[in-house]
Every structure is written in C-alpha cells, then in structure tokens.
Amino acid sequence: MTTIEKLLKSSGPSLSSELAKRVAEGNKMKPNTASQQVARAKDILRINGFFKSQQSLMFLEEHVDDDLVYPVLAKKMFEHGLKYWYTLNALRLHEGTVGRRFLECYTNYPILPLKSHLPFSKVMQKFINENVIAYNGDEYLLSPKIYRTPSASLFSKTIENIKLFVLEDFHSLVRNTGIISYDSGAILEEHGKFRWGFKGLSPIVGLKTDGKFGFVLADILIGVPIYKDDVMFFIAKLKQILSFKSASRVIPFLIVDDLDKEAMMLLKENGIVVGFVRELFGAKYAETMKELISIFNNAGASLKTNPNKYLELIDELKKFNKGLLNNIRGTLFEYVVGHIHVSKGSNIEIGWEIVENGGRHEMDVQAVYGDKVVISECKGTKSQIELEDVEKWITKKIPAFKKWFLGQEIFKKKELKFEYWSTAGFTDDALQRMKDFKSSYTKHEINFFGPDEIRKVAKEMNNKKLREALDNFFLKIKV
C-alpha cells in the first residue's frame, strides 16, 4: 500500500491540495514534489473539474462502499466550488432525484447561451462525466457510485406534481388580483436566460421602466426543511439577472411551506417576498399539502401509525383539487397495495429504485415479512395493462429484482414472491402471458390482481373506507 493510499485510508476522501500537504509534511519533501506525486498516484479514484485551482477530490473504493464520498464532496464543493454545490444541494433536498426543469430552477446556470457562463446542459454533462450524477432522460439522480442511499424517484415525481399545482394556484392568485397581466403567466418559464418556477408580466406602475412592464418571478421549495444555505441559489440567480444592462424590474417570490428564521431574514434582506403556502392559500390548503407530502415522504411509518390518513386526504383533494388528485392517482394506488401488506403484518418501502443489470428499476412496493419478501408492481391506471408492459415486467424487472434480492444478506432465509396489481385489469393477451408465466415459473410465487381480485382482498381487510375509495376513485365500480 502506497503512502497516499495509507493517508486516504486513515483520513477519508481529501482534496488533492490537502493530501499533497500531508505527503510533504510526512516525508519532509518540497510542496511541489508532493503535489506531483499526488497527481501521478495510480489506483486512486478522483472527481475533477469542480474545485478552485484545479483541485481534485481523491478517494478509495472502500470510501464509496462506506458512503463517505458524498458528504465530503458536498462540503468541499461548498467551500471551493459554490456554483457547482447548488446542484448537489438541490438533489440532496429532493431525496437524490430531481426532474430536469426543476433542477434548472434550483441552480444558477443559464439555460440559454450567456457570455462567460457555462450553460446548464454543459455543467450537467461535467457531473455525468465524473460519475457524480446520472441522467435517465427525464430526471437527474445522484450517482450510486458516490451515493449509496436508494433514490426515491416516486417521492420526487409526486412532490413535483404537487409543486406544479401549487404554482398553478399561485398563477391564479396573481392573475386574479391584477398583479400580472391576465394572460401572461407561465409555469417553469425562462427569464433572463435562467429557468424560474413561474413568470408573469406585471402592469404594476412601480415596476415599469421606460414604459416597459416588469415581471413577477417565483420559485418553489416545499416538503423539506429549508435553511439559510438552501435559499442561496435563488438570491444568486436573482442578482445575476438584475445585473444585466437594461434589466427589467421584478417582484421575486420564493414559495415555501416552512422556513428557518435565518433563511427568512436572508431572503428579506435581499428584497425577496417569502410566500408561505398557508398565507397565500389558507390554512386548510397548506395543512392538506403538508400532510400529503409527509405521507409520501415516509410511507411505511404513515401506514403503520395512521393507515387511513391517505384515504382521508383523497376525500380532501376531491373538494378543492381534483386535477392534483388524478395526477397522483398511480402513487396513491401504490399506497393501497402497501396498506394491504401492512395490514397483514409486513414492513414496507414504496418507490425504491435499484440499479441492477445495467439499468434502474423501481420497486413500487417492497413488503418484508418474517418469512418472505413480496415485490409488487402497481398500476393505478384507467386503461388495461397491455402485453408489452407485462413482458417488460417478466423479462427486465423480475430478473433485476431477483438479483438484488440475492445480494441482500438480511434476506438470505426469506422466500421471494412477485405480484402485479392493476386497477383496470389486463388485456386478453397480457392476461394469458401472465397465466402462462405463473404456471411455468416455479422458482418464485407469482400472483396478479385485477379489479375483482383487488376488491376481494380489500373486503377481507374489513376496511370500509378503503373499499369506498376503491369503488369511488380507483376502480369506479358501483356497489
């Protein structure tokens, strides 16, 4: 083992400059010589291109296995590469997964060409090239090569759906009060070459410059605790567009459901309106959204402590936001299946993503019993599941889930089972493929559930509220 490997083994991931300093001190050599030795070191993993003075983060494979790389990377990037740190922080705030357009909002990289600035796409490519971030064509994710905690794609997508509806309601609010011109508002729009959660043209007299209207701009951060550092991206982005020659005047909003006192003071010092959800839309609206996010953030705990809470929220959403309710229908059905398994005594996880067989695969519901693990595919759609979907589940997902299962030491004495749940059932050819697979695949038990089977299982639970939700929302079957 080389001197550099020993130093990394004892101290953990380090910047190349810090490592060179320790090498120089320990071997009584000149700093330049030590730096050259560090630069030439073999079998050391590195992350390049994000730190001042061309420094690198250096680490060992064992640091990745022990989940030590990400915390050091984030700390050093904050200290020596702040403009890149915004990306890591946005991903951290959202359980490791953020859709592209929202990540464009949460960083201060332009989405259109801007002199002396790297555009968003090129910055993201740097992250991807260094195996810090992965991209699936829709979302950016912290790479499992530096972040071993499973990504929560379900949480990310659902929270983004909620954000979109809050932004739509914000649009209605500023339009109906005359703060913006009636037909000018847009969600996830560009302004000043940067992405914003909301943009609207404002006719307010105080915002006019040389007869030109100003703008209302807003971003949204909800569902997570927000501290001082977490709002810095918004301040940096705002300062950038206001520095332009002939910049338009703006009213900037940051929409939040909760905020640390220091963060609020920093926003106010920079002339930013803090738009608390409860103040904008009322206490009942805010409480419903907060409870909805809380349930999605911790499915297992919420279904154990208050299993009917998500069903009560369905009733609330029916009253004031049917659009949001329909948009998260699939996620809510995963809670139905999770609810069924919890009632039978299992512990569950919802929406876990694993990386196996060269791809990412989402476990809709993972139910762990004393003697078995059940992995469920859940489709809360209004249309039947077709053969292509069943084929993908059989040939892609099941092999990946099986390989993952066999690699889990804690599951060695448990049986593995697979389920497919569909609120609309299956097409004839898809159903036949499922039956053939069930009869021929003897390694693990296979079960599938259409509307009739789902209602039968729910009836056995003796839960009136669940049966009503299935009949009136998920299955649309009249009793």
Side-chain angles (χ1 to χ4, degrees):
M1 184 180 292
T2 66
T3 299
I4 292 173
E5 287 177 298
K6 289 178 181 178
L7 286 171
L8 286 172
K9 192 173 181 67
S10 64
S11 63
S14 301
L15 282 183
S16 52
S17 61
E18 298 167 350
L19 193 59
K21 184 178 179 181
R22 290 198 293 272
V23 169
E25 291 172 350
N27 293 277
K28 297 181 180 179
M29 63 174 63
K30 293 180 179 180
N32 285 346
T33 304
S35 295
Q36 290 172 6
Q37 197 174 101
V38 167
R40 292 194 296 264
K42 297 180 179 180
D43 301 321
I44 306 295
L45 300 175
R46 307 166 192 258
I47 294 174
N48 302 301
F50 302 105
F51 310 100
K52 294 176 182 176
S53 306
Q54 297 183 322
Q55 298 179 85
S56 302
L57 184 73
M58 305 183 69
F59 54 98
L60 304 173
E61 188 65 45
E62 66 187 60
H63 296 147
V64 179
D65 295 336
D66 294 337
D67 234 355
L68 298 176
V69 178
Y70 173 79
V72 178
L73 176 63
K75 182 176 185 296
K76 297 303 180 183
M77 205 173 278
F78 183 84
E79 295 170 351
H80 303 281
L82 184 61
K83 66 180 180 179
Y84 298 113
W85 173 84
Y86 294 127
T87 301
L88 284 189
N89 194 54
L91 287 161
R92 177 192 64 81
L93 283 173
H94 297 87
E95 303 289 321
T97 306
V98 182
R100 180 185 176 109
R101 291 195 299 168
F102 273 105
L103 189 57
E104 288 174 342
C105 292
Y106 298 143
T107 55
N108 69 329
Y109 319 128
I111 60 171
L112 297 178
L114 180 62
K115 188 177 180 180
S116 302
H117 287 73
L118 276 177
F120 177 88
S121 57
K122 287 191 176 181
V123 174
M124 290 304 108
Q125 194 58 52
K126 284 182 63 172
F127 277 111
I128 292 168
N129 291 344
E130 292 298 312
N131 290 316
V132 176
I133 288 175
Y135 184 53
N136 63 13
D138 180 43
E139 297 169 314
Y140 287 97
L141 312 94
L142 285 170
S143 169
K145 295 186 178 180
I146 67 152
Y147 191 78
R148 289 299 172 91
T149 304
S151 297
S153 182
L154 170 80
F155 173 81
S156 171
K157 290 175 182 175
T158 305
I159 297 306
E160 286 181 7
N161 272 321
I162 294 172
K163 287 178 182 177
L164 288 172
F165 278 93
V166 173
L167 287 170
E168 288 287 358
D169 289 336
F170 179 76
H171 181 191
S172 297
L173 176 66
V174 292
R175 179 185 61 198
N176 294 338
T177 53
I179 296 175
I180 65 166
S181 298
Y182 195 80
D183 59 353
S184 72
I187 308 297
L188 294 172
E189 187 59 69
E190 175 270 335
H191 178 76
K193 301 185 185 296
F194 293 84
R195 178 80 68 196
W196 303 83
F198 175 83
K199 168 188 172 181
L201 191 65
S202 177
I204 293 175
V205 65
L207 294 183
K208 286 185 178 179
T209 306
D210 298 328
K212 295 180 180 179
F213 287 175
F215 292 89
V216 171
L217 300 173
D219 278 328
I220 181 169
L221 276 176
I222 59 174
V224 291
I226 302 169
Y227 299 97
K228 183 178 178 180
D229 292 345
D230 302 325
V231 303
M232 287 167 52
F233 80 94
F234 190 79
I235 295 168
K237 192 167 60 165
L238 184 63
K239 285 182 176 179
Q240 186 64 59
I241 66 162
L242 293 178
S243 71
F244 297 156
K245 186 178 179 181
S246 302
S248 301
R249 292 183 180 179
V250 301
I251 301 179
F253 283 81
L254 185 61
I255 302 170
V256 299
D257 52 8
D258 204 357
L259 195 65
D260 176 73
K261 185 177 179 180
E262 279 190 277
M264 183 167 65
M265 293 305 297
L266 182 62
L267 290 168
K268 289 186 174 181
E269 286 169 7
N270 284 275
I272 295 163
V273 182
V274 181
F276 285 104
V277 172
R278 63 179 176 272
E279 304 297 340
L280 293 171
F281 309 114
K284 186 61 178 177
Y285 179 106
E287 188 62 27
T288 301
M289 293 301 178
K290 187 174 183 179
E291 289 180 344
L292 193 61
I293 292 170
S294 176
I295 283 173
F296 289 140
N297 198 22
N298 199 338
S302 64
L303 283 172
K304 277 190 176 294
T305 58
N306 194 347
N308 281 346
K309 189 63 183 179
Y310 77 102
L311 299 172
E312 294 166 5
L313 288 172
I314 289 175
D315 290 337
E316 285 297 325
L317 287 172
K318 281 180 180 177
K319 297 174 185 176
F320 69 85
N321 207 325
K322 289 185 179 179
L324 173 58
L325 179 59
N326 286 321
N327 224 5
I328 61 175
R329 176 192 183 96
T331 301
L332 290 169
F333 182 62
E334 293 178 21
Y335 274 70
V336 170
V337 176
H339 190 174
I340 290 168
H341 279 291
V342 167
S343 74
K344 295 178 180 179
S346 76
N347 293 316
I348 66 158
E349 294 288 348
I350 291 181
W352 263 35
E353 275 198 348
I354 64 164
V355 179
E356 289 291 354
N357 294 346
R360 291 181 176 273
H361 308 275
E362 185 175 305
M363 294 183 192
D364 292 342
V365 177
Q366 176 203 132
V368 180
Y369 292 84
D371 60 344
K372 64 184 177 183
V373 175
V374 182
I375 299 176
S376 303
E377 186 82 359
C378 310
K379 300 297 181 184
T381 60
K382 294 181 180 180
S383 57
Q384 291 182 317
I385 301 302
E386 297 185 354
L387 177 60
E388 181 182 355
D389 298 309
V390 170
E391 201 65 46
K392 180 180 178 182
W393 181 64
I394 291 172
T395 61
K396 300 289 185 184
K397 290 194 171 186
I398 284 180
F401 294 151
K402 181 182 175 182
K403 184 177 179 181
W404 173 85
F405 172 83
L406 293 173
Q408 306 303 306
E409 187 69 28
I410 59 172
F411 295 157
K412 278 197 176 297
K413 295 183 179 181
K414 296 183 188 291
E415 184 182 355
L416 177 62
K417 298 184 178 183
F418 295 102
E419 298 176 341
Y420 204 126
W421 300 70
S422 169
T423 56
F426 306 85
T427 61
D428 291 343
D429 53 355
L431 185 61
Q432 188 59 53
R433 177 71 171 104
M434 195 80 81
K435 289 178 179 178
D436 292 343
F437 180 62
K438 177 179 173 65
S439 62
S440 63
Y441 189 74
T442 56
K443 293 180 180 178
H444 304 287
E445 184 178 324
I446 305 292
N447 290 299
F448 47 94
F449 304 83
D452 292 339
E453 293 81 9
I454 293 169
R455 286 203 72 233
K456 182 179 178 181
V457 172
K459 187 176 181 180
E460 292 170 356
M461 288 175 61
N462 195 28
N463 185 320
K464 182 181 177 182
K465 201 166 190 67
L466 176 58
R467 292 202 307 272
E468 289 176 349
L470 286 168
D471 290 336
N472 299 325
F473 179 60
F474 292 105
L475 303 179
K476 291 290 184 183
I477 298 174
K478 292 183 179 180
V479 181

